[in-house]
Amino acid sequence: TVELVSGNALLRQKLAETQECLWMAQAERECAQVWAAEFEAAAAGYHASQQRELRVLELQVRSNASAADDFRRRLEKRDQRIAELEDSVATHARLEAARAELRGENEELRRILEEARE
């Protein structure tokens, strides 16, 4: 009977230790689930933050591309206007040369006319 009592006490002690281990394991499991949920929430928040930042960067790229296109069009218009002005200057130079040539011819004709009158 002493052995039974002693064996019973030992079994109760082992049962208590086992239950304590189970409770600790369950508590650790619950902590791990909480940590996993917190980690998933943090990862989702980080992902959402990165997606927002990506959208902002995409908008900036589009805006910069639009500004670059506008600037390119302005440069093309400026280049076209410069070409028009260069053509106008060349035309003016040709007209001045023709006018000078005509003056020279007029002077020569006047001289011939004066000589003819004399």
Side-chain angles (χ1 to χ4, degrees):
T1 55
V2 174
E3 290 177 3
L4 284 174
V5 171
S6 169
N8 251 357
L10 186 61
L11 284 175
R12 280 191 202 125
Q13 183 183 354
K14 290 293 183 186
L15 179 61
E17 288 174 3
T18 303
Q19 284 179 335
E20 189 178 331
C21 284
L22 285 174
W23 291 331
M24 288 180 68
Q26 187 173 357
E28 287 176 358
R29 182 173 163 249
E30 289 172 1
C31 283
Q33 287 174 338
V34 168
W35 291 338
E38 289 175 354
F39 178 78
E40 287 174 4
Y46 179 75
H47 178 71
S49 170
Q50 292 298 307
Q51 290 294 353
R52 283 190 298 274
E53 189 174 330
L54 179 61
R55 282 193 292 275
V56 167
L57 291 173
E58 287 172 346
L59 289 173
Q60 287 175 342
V61 166
R62 284 190 203 126
S63 175
N64 289 344
S66 177
D69 287 343
D70 289 346
F71 187 70
R72 192 175 302 111
R73 281 192 291 276
R74 287 176 45 205
L75 285 176
E76 288 170 357
K77 285 181 182 179
R78 183 198 61 129
D79 290 346
Q80 181 181 4
R81 181 66 181 140
I82 287 172
E84 290 170 358
L85 289 172
E86 287 172 344
D87 287 346
S88 178
V89 167
T91 300
H92 181 73
R94 285 192 301 275
L95 288 173
E96 285 298 319
R99 186 176 294 145
E101 187 178 329
L102 288 174
R103 278 191 200 126
E105 288 178 11
N106 279 348
E107 287 179 18
E108 187 176 333
L109 287 175
R110 279 190 195 133
R111 189 183 50 78
I112 292 172
L113 186 61
E114 284 179 19
E115 285 177 4
R117 285 187 189 158
E118 292 176 0

